[in-house]
Amino acid sequence: MKGGWLKIYALAYLLFLYAPIALLPVFAFNDGTIIAFPLRGFTLEWFAELGRIEALHGAVLNSLVIAVSTAVLATVLGICAARSAARYDYPGKRGVMGFIMLPLVLPEIIVAVSLLVVLLQLGLSLGAWSVILGHVLICTPFSIAILNSAFQNLDRSLEEAAVDLGETPWSTFRLITLPLVMPGIISSLLISFTISLDEFIIAFFLTGAEPTLPVYLWGQLRFPQKIPVVMALGTILVALSILLLTTAEYFRRRGVARAGGKDTGGFL
Amino acid sequence: MTRPIIQLQDVQKYFGDYHALRGINAEIAEGEFFSLLGPSGCGKTTLLRVIAGFEDVSAGRVLIDGKPMEGVPANRRPTNMVFQSYAIFPHLSVAGNVGFGLRRAGLTADEMGRRVDEALEMVGLAGFGRRAAHALSGGQRQRVALARALILKPRVLLLDEPLSALDKKLREQMQVELIKLQRQVGITFILVTHDQEEALVMSDRIAVMFDGEIAQMDDPEILYRRPKSRRVADFIGVMNFLPAEVLSETGDRIEIEVAGLGRAEISADQAPRGGGGQAPSVGFRPETLTILYEGQQANHREARAVVEEVVYYGDMTYYDVRLQGTEKPVRLSMRNVFGREVLPIGTETRIAWSPGALVLFR
Amino acid sequence: MRLAQKIGRMRRTDAASGILLVSPTALYAILLLAAPLATIFAFSFWTQDYLTIDRSWTLANYRTAISEPIYGQLMLRSLWISGAVTASTVVLAFPIAYFVSFHVPPARKSLWIFLITIPFWTSYLIRVFLWKVILGYNGVLNSTLLGLGIIDAPLTFILYNANAVVITLAHAFAPFAILPIFVALEKIDRALLEASRDLGETRVTTFLRVTLPLAMPGVVAAVLIVFIPTIGDYVTPRLVGGPDGLMIANMIQTQFLQLNNAPMGATLAVLAMFIVTLVALIFVGLNRRFLRRQQ
Ligand SMILES: Nc1ncnc2c1ncn2[C@@H]1O[C@H](COP(=O)(O)OP(=O)(O)OP(=O)(O)O)[C@@H](O)[C@H]1O
Ligand SMILES: [Mg+2]
């Protein structure tokens, strides 16, 4: 069969990709404090435990606030940049866009320490807001990447047709542009939310007294007896991420289909 | 001519350094079916977009209904457009598309529904209102685009190559429908096309554009019979050219000597001005030459020729024949009527022609 | 009045609208990226004087960074690990990208790409930690191999060293490598491959002479997009690296948060970025030359 060996390789590779997260639920439901085989038995204890940890709840709430704010801000900034890139030409466009996209390849630790230094120099105290600043910076390029294709697939004559039929530029944006790129916007919100919820390094450097969820987790990883609880938490997080991503992907595809474009696949 | 609805006064348009419109002057009458015809890149779309208000003029003026349009944005001009891609809003239903422009009219839902139904009926899409726009065929999309633009009763309807995306049969059918529709609504139509046949069939008047300029503006028949330059003549239909010499000019009579045809006298209106500087030549259309079969007599003049190439089209046959004493063959067309044989290559034959069909370019 | 008119006209030109629209985002990037990067750069020339910062310009930090072996060692190791991660990730990723692009039916492609990207979006921290679980002394891998009787004693060379870091990072960055290569392969006109076969090339030589050179831009993008961020990775070396697997980012963190020597940390960060950029440029240059020679 054509590509037979390649297919076997590809399936093995998928196994390699999924092996770690496949283990999460295995140990999350395992009735033993040591994370190793053989398994002991089934328990929901670790999930129940999650409900009793006050510090965790604070961290979750903190992370949610940060992730929602980040998603909204990054998407708004992403809309501005993607729209301007898809629709207009101006001198230095490539340079400006390249710079905005830079955090995509910049090591996160560099973003983290440079922001930290500036904030401390300015004498500002750290908190959720400083984490949001950093997260918006790294999420905006992803948002732009998603929205770019949404805005580029938009046939310009659709907007002109609306103006021609008597709408102002602003009502055209509201009635035509926005509905047509809405799937992209939703997908950008979800992706930014997911990235922010997950991000550790920047949060680690820029968080104040109240940790975010990953920072809290990081603290727990040092205590072996806490690991099963972490596994339970991880299971929930992974399930949540997959749900969010599937939704994002659904909207992205619907956007492509609606604009009549061809699906090129993938978020990046 | 009735009152002009559109006046273009020395309209210029630059894109950066590129001079896309080089001084367009035209007046288009109320109720006229006017076409902009020209090769790709000559500025037809640009001119249409200038009228619609999507592009600012670099210099010159556009007046609609006597009012200067400077500073009037597209949404406040009494024009509507049918886009080349149709620009059907994919997230709205057919009715949503057609009724789009009525949003600001402050109509009741009933009234709006009635207007939309009327418009759909007018373009032959009665009952299609609830369909999703993206599920339409090419011809249907084009009708929706028409209905959507006409529902606002614009003073001028602008159409940018509205038929170019359709296949030949459908295109010809839509041409006829468009003409009927225009007569019915009485709105001025300005049609952009690069298809000369389409322009000839549909228009009251045609402006032929080259390189951002109007080369000739006339009704279809004059444009075809009396093109002002070789370039226009070449662009519209087929035209044969033969070298010629002007012997004398008296009043409105011109005496010329044409290679292969001999001496002829033509009237001054057969010798348009503005060809510019080339060696004089004479042009004539293929159908103005006729092969004389045995026993037939010429009504006008006769010449001798040899058949060099035969192209059979079913209803017509095109012959490339070489006139005595010329270097290049000329093309003539004959209708294939019953009982008339197709001549083989190499046949020597007599040709009938008429001085009245000649155009002198100089 | 005149000014208002002028601005009004400006607003209508395309360039002005574009700049106006991009400016919030650009401004954000300038304030929160360019300015901080510039600050870090400035810091690298200052020194820490107990609790205050001595702002006289000096190259002292750079001298320390070069003379003290620990920094050079960490930097070299980081480069080495990043290089190994990049090489293994890209080499392992290419066949996947090729498979999805050439052997998966078009309708199923985006499903495959989606499947490949999903693990990338799930909690990074937990994923890295899970590798510790898999690779550990009593880990999943060892207990499975022991159970199957393939080995007698647990393998120890796979945790708390550079190997573990390479495996974990190669896993984490897999989608980053697959996607650019996939995009490049997708762009190849399939008729080119048929033309090559038609001109007498075999399947293999067609791959070498047509497919690979055309996929090269994707491979280069994959290399850069994996290499650059891995140099700065902090979590993986800390969790699975052990003392021999620590990288430059861990030292930067230590300087900033534990030793409270921000200028030294800044110097290391600047050096790391400088070296990464240099390596990346050299790589891109070599690749260009290679492709030109191919022609
Ligand atoms: N926005 C623009 N910026 C720069 N140049 C443009 C722009 N729009 C049109 N042009 C140029 O102006 C010239 C005329 O373009 P236009 O679209 O009016 O041609 P056209 O006659 O409609 O051709 P076609 O038959 O191909 O549609 C072309 O050379 C085109 O490249
Ligand atoms: Mg055009």
Side-chain angles (χ1 to χ4, degrees):
Chain A
M1 180 195 131
K2 205 171 150 217
W5 284 106
L6 266 179
K7 183 159 195 177
I8 293 170
Y9 174 78
L11 290 174
Y13 196 89
L14 275 189
L15 194 69
F16 165 67
L17 281 183
Y18 279 86
I21 47 175
L23 287 174
L24 267 178
V26 172
F27 291 111
F29 292 109
N30 180 32
D31 188 10
T33 47
I34 301 167
I35 303 298
F37 287 112
L39 300 177
R40 294 280 184 74
F42 181 83
T43 180
L44 288 176
E45 169 61 21
W46 311 126
F47 286 92
E49 175 101 19
L50 284 178
R52 295 194 287 268
I53 310 173
E54 297 273 322
L56 172 66
H57 301 165
V60 168
L61 196 67
N62 197 21
S63 267
L64 283 179
V65 169
I66 291 173
V68 169
S69 324
T70 300
V72 173
L73 289 173
T75 302
V76 169
L77 290 179
I79 291 175
C80 291
R83 167 75 172 175
S84 126
R87 175 75 156 69
Y88 301 104
D89 251 324
Y90 46 89
K93 177 166 138 182
R94 284 179 63 100
V96 171
M97 289 310 290
F99 181 69
I100 293 172
M101 299 301 273
L102 187 63
L104 212 54
V105 288
L106 212 57
E108 277 173 14
I109 187 141
I110 304 279
V111 175
V113 295
S114 56
L115 270 175
L116 177 72
V117 164
V118 168
L119 295 179
L120 291 183
Q121 281 296 299
L122 293 175
L124 302 167
S125 62
L126 302 174
W129 69 276
S130 48
V131 180
I132 294 174
L133 286 187
H135 281 182
V136 169
L137 195 63
I138 59 163
C139 288
T140 304
F142 284 94
S143 163
I144 292 174
I146 295 165
L147 291 169
N148 242 344
S149 62
F151 277 110
Q152 242 139 29
N153 282 339
L154 191 70
D155 181 357
R156 190 165 160 181
S157 60
L158 290 176
E159 291 169 334
E160 286 179 348
V163 172
D164 188 58
L165 294 169
E167 299 296 338
T168 62
W170 170 243
S171 63
T172 298
F173 186 77
R174 193 165 55 82
L175 293 170
I176 303 298
T177 318
L178 214 50
L180 288 174
V181 296
M182 192 44 90
I185 291 176
I186 292 174
S187 149
S188 156
L189 285 171
L190 292 172
I191 295 280
S192 303
F193 179 86
T194 314
I195 294 176
S196 167
L197 199 62
D198 237 26
E199 202 286 331
F200 168 68
I201 296 184
I202 290 174
F204 184 55
F205 276 82
L206 298 184
T207 195
E210 291 177 2
T212 66
L213 185 58
V215 175
Y216 171 81
L217 269 176
W218 176 254
Q220 302 304 298
L221 292 178
R222 268 179 297 157
F223 309 113
Q225 72 274 20
K226 297 271 182 65
I227 300 304
V229 182
V230 171
M231 290 288 175
L233 184 60
T235 307
I236 295 176
L237 283 181
V238 167
L240 194 70
S241 295
I242 292 179
L243 187 74
L244 286 178
L245 290 167
T246 314
T247 319
E249 170 73 1
Y250 169 77
F251 277 106
R252 194 190 61 79
R253 281 198 203 176
R254 217 177 73 173
V256 172
R258 194 187 262 188
K262 185 174 155 284
D263 194 357
T264 44
F267 291 116
L268 293 176
Chain B
M1 193 158 116
T2 45
R3 194 162 64 106
I5 179 77
I6 295 217
Q7 289 158 279
L8 305 173
Q9 298 173 347
D10 195 31
V11 171
Q12 310 261 353
K13 177 70 192 174
Y14 284 92
F15 291 113
D17 288 341
Y18 184 73
H19 202 169
L21 296 178
R22 303 164 178 249
I24 302 286
N25 286 292
E27 292 198 341
I28 299 167
E30 182 107 59
E32 199 173 6
F33 197 128
F34 188 87
S35 291
L36 294 169
L37 174 66
S40 191
C42 69
K44 310 178 293 285
T45 299
T46 306
L47 183 56
L48 205 67
R49 291 169 59 83
V50 162
I51 296 172
F54 294 124
E55 308 278 3
D56 294 332
V57 292
S58 307
R61 294 209 303 173
V62 175
L63 289 89
I64 300 182
D65 206 11
K67 292 187 222 39
M69 283 292 123
E70 192 188 352
V72 180
N75 50 331
R76 288 212 297 258
R77 294 194 182 189
T79 59
N80 282 119
M81 184 130 157
V82 174
F83 289 79
Q84 185 166 9
S85 61
Y86 306 146
I88 304 294
F89 305 128
H91 58 305
L92 301 178
S93 66
V94 168
N97 268 281
V98 174
F100 189 88
L102 294 179
R103 193 178 74 95
R104 289 167 176 264
L107 303 177
T108 63
D110 276 356
E111 216 170 328
M112 194 146 144
R114 202 177 44 75
R115 292 268 302 265
V116 168
D117 288 345
E118 255 174 36
L120 282 174
E121 189 154 6
M122 185 168 62
V123 296
L125 281 182
F128 276 68
R130 315 252 319 252
R131 289 266 189 107
H134 57 79
L136 297 176
S137 73
Q140 290 169 334
R141 295 166 77 84
Q142 131 109 92
R143 288 160 201 259
V144 172
L146 262 173
R148 182 177 74 181
L150 284 173
I151 201 171
L152 293 176
K153 308 212 163 81
R155 303 295 302 274
V156 180
L157 185 72
L158 307 170
L159 305 106
D160 190 359
E161 309 211 11
L163 307 178
S164 64
L166 309 178
D167 63 48
K168 193 165 183 297
K169 268 253 165 63
L170 191 54
R171 192 161 62 225
E172 281 165 5
Q173 179 193 338
M174 284 307 297
Q175 285 173 2
V176 176
E177 280 189 36
L178 264 181
I179 300 171
K180 277 194 195 147
L181 192 64
Q182 198 259 345
R183 286 199 192 122
Q184 181 191 334
V185 295
I187 292 173
T188 309
F189 276 30
I190 302 182
L191 172 88
V192 160
T193 178
H194 61 246
D195 180 345
Q196 41 107 6
E197 216 169 288
E198 185 171 295
L200 290 176
V201 168
M202 298 174 75
S203 325
D204 295 326
R205 230 155 33 109
I206 300 172
V208 181
M209 289 181 69
F210 294 118
D211 305 326
E213 284 172 316
I214 294 183
Q216 186 170 358
M217 186 159 50
D218 270 311
D219 68 45
E221 199 193 336
I222 294 187
L223 204 60
Y224 188 78
R225 281 190 29 225
R226 296 277 183 267
K228 281 204 175 122
S229 67
R230 279 187 70 153
R231 198 158 178 209
V232 173
D234 242 350
F235 189 72
I236 294 177
V238 179
M239 188 155 252
N240 295 299
F241 298 100
L242 288 172
E245 205 179 321
V246 178
L247 300 175
S248 67
E249 241 178 302
T250 47
D252 75 337
R253 307 305 297 173
I254 304 173
E255 176 133 13
I256 53 176
E257 165 88 36
V258 183
L261 296 179
R263 267 168 204 246
E265 200 183 71
I266 58 173
S267 72
D269 72 311
Q270 283 169 265
R273 298 277 155 196
Q278 324 119 312
S281 61
V282 144
F284 50 93
R285 300 287 182 189
E287 64 276 10
T288 61
L289 296 188
T290 316
I291 289 177
L292 292 173
Y293 286 80
E294 248 158 78
Q296 280 182 321
Q297 280 303 310
N299 289 338
H300 300 280
R301 303 273 303 270
E302 229 179 273
R304 298 203 69 81
V306 181
V307 175
E308 291 207 335
E309 187 67 71
V310 180
V311 185
Y312 181 73
Y313 268 93
D315 58 338
M316 304 282 285
T317 305
Y318 284 86
Y319 294 94
D320 286 346
V321 300
R322 183 133 58 147
L323 295 161
Q324 253 175 9
T326 60
E327 286 170 14
K328 279 199 308 193
V330 295
R331 171 157 289 194
L332 65 84
S333 61
M334 294 292 288
R335 185 152 290 284
N336 290 333
V337 293
F338 178 73
R340 184 190 282 172
E341 78 214 77
V342 174
L343 298 180
I345 291 174
T347 316
E348 290 191 21
T349 178
R350 294 176 301 136
I351 306 286
W353 63 281
S354 148
L358 302 183
V359 186
L360 176 68
F361 302 104
R362 52 181 171 168
Chain C
M1 179 58 205
R2 290 265 302 279
L3 187 71
Q5 256 177 3
K6 219 172 189 175
I7 292 175
R9 201 166 310 138
M10 266 273 283
R11 271 190 43 180
R12 257 183 287 134
T13 73
D14 253 25
S17 323
I19 291 170
L20 199 71
L21 198 52
V22 81
S23 54
T25 319
L27 227 61
Y28 191 89
I30 288 169
L31 284 179
L32 287 137
L33 187 63
L37 288 178
T39 311
I40 279 279
F41 192 65
F43 256 69
S44 71
F45 295 101
W46 298 340
T47 43
Q48 188 80 29
D49 193 10
Y50 292 103
L51 289 179
T52 58
I53 297 221
D54 177 356
R55 299 200 174 176
S56 40
W57 301 90
T58 164
L59 287 172
N61 295 326
Y62 287 92
R63 243 173 264 131
T64 317
I66 290 167
S67 58
E68 294 224 7
I70 171 79
Y71 298 126
Q73 220 177 336
L74 275 177
M75 196 69 84
L76 266 183
R77 186 193 293 153
S78 303
L79 278 176
W80 193 88
I81 290 182
S82 287
V85 169
T86 308
S88 52
T89 310
V90 173
V91 167
L92 289 175
F94 193 96
I96 299 298
Y98 184 84
F99 170 75
V100 178
S101 181
F102 281 79
H103 293 297
V104 171
R108 301 266 297 280
K109 277 182 187 174
S110 51
L111 176 68
W112 269 87
I113 294 298
F114 184 56
L115 280 178
I116 287 165
T117 31
I118 274 208
F120 166 72
W121 295 105
T122 55
S123 177
Y124 178 57
L125 213 54
I126 291 179
R127 255 186 308 145
V128 174
F129 178 75
L130 285 163
W131 277 106
K132 191 166 151 176
V133 173
I134 295 177
L135 300 172
Y137 190 78
N138 290 322
V140 175
L141 191 64
N142 273 332
S143 44
T144 312
L145 291 178
L146 279 173
L148 292 174
I150 295 172
I151 52 173
D152 304 326
L155 305 171
T156 53
F157 65 87
I158 49 174
L159 190 63
Y160 297 130
N161 56 29
N163 292 340
V165 178
V166 173
I167 295 176
T168 308
L169 285 177
H171 178 262
F173 281 91
F176 271 134
I178 294 175
L179 290 180
I181 301 176
F182 171 73
V183 170
L185 288 173
E186 279 293 277
K187 282 195 192 138
I188 298 178
D189 183 354
R190 300 306 194 249
L192 292 177
L193 308 183
E194 285 168 8
S196 165
R197 295 294 297 279
D198 185 58
L199 295 170
E201 300 291 323
T202 66
R203 210 175 274 255
V204 175
T205 53
T206 294
F207 177 81
L208 292 177
R209 291 188 58 189
V210 182
T211 315
L212 199 55
L214 287 176
M216 225 41 196
V219 174
V220 171
V223 165
L224 294 181
I225 217 168
V226 175
F227 182 75
I228 297 173
T230 44
I231 278 272
D233 194 69
Y234 167 79
V235 174
T236 307
R238 266 299 289 280
L239 279 180
V240 304
D244 294 338
L246 287 185
M247 291 166 65
I248 194 71
N250 303 94
M251 182 51 92
I252 294 176
Q253 187 262 349
T254 308
Q255 294 288 352
F256 271 100
L257 297 189
Q258 269 138 31
L259 301 179
N260 209 2
N261 188 348
M264 192 64 216
T267 307
L268 293 177
V270 170
L271 278 176
M273 276 195 292
F274 175 74
I275 292 174
V276 165
T277 312
L278 197 68
V279 172
L281 287 180
I282 291 174
F283 176 76
V284 171
L286 283 180
N287 181 68
R288 257 206 207 127
R289 186 181 291 181
F290 165 76
L291 281 185
R292 206 170 301 139
R293 182 133 10 108
Q294 281 263 310
Q295 294 165 2

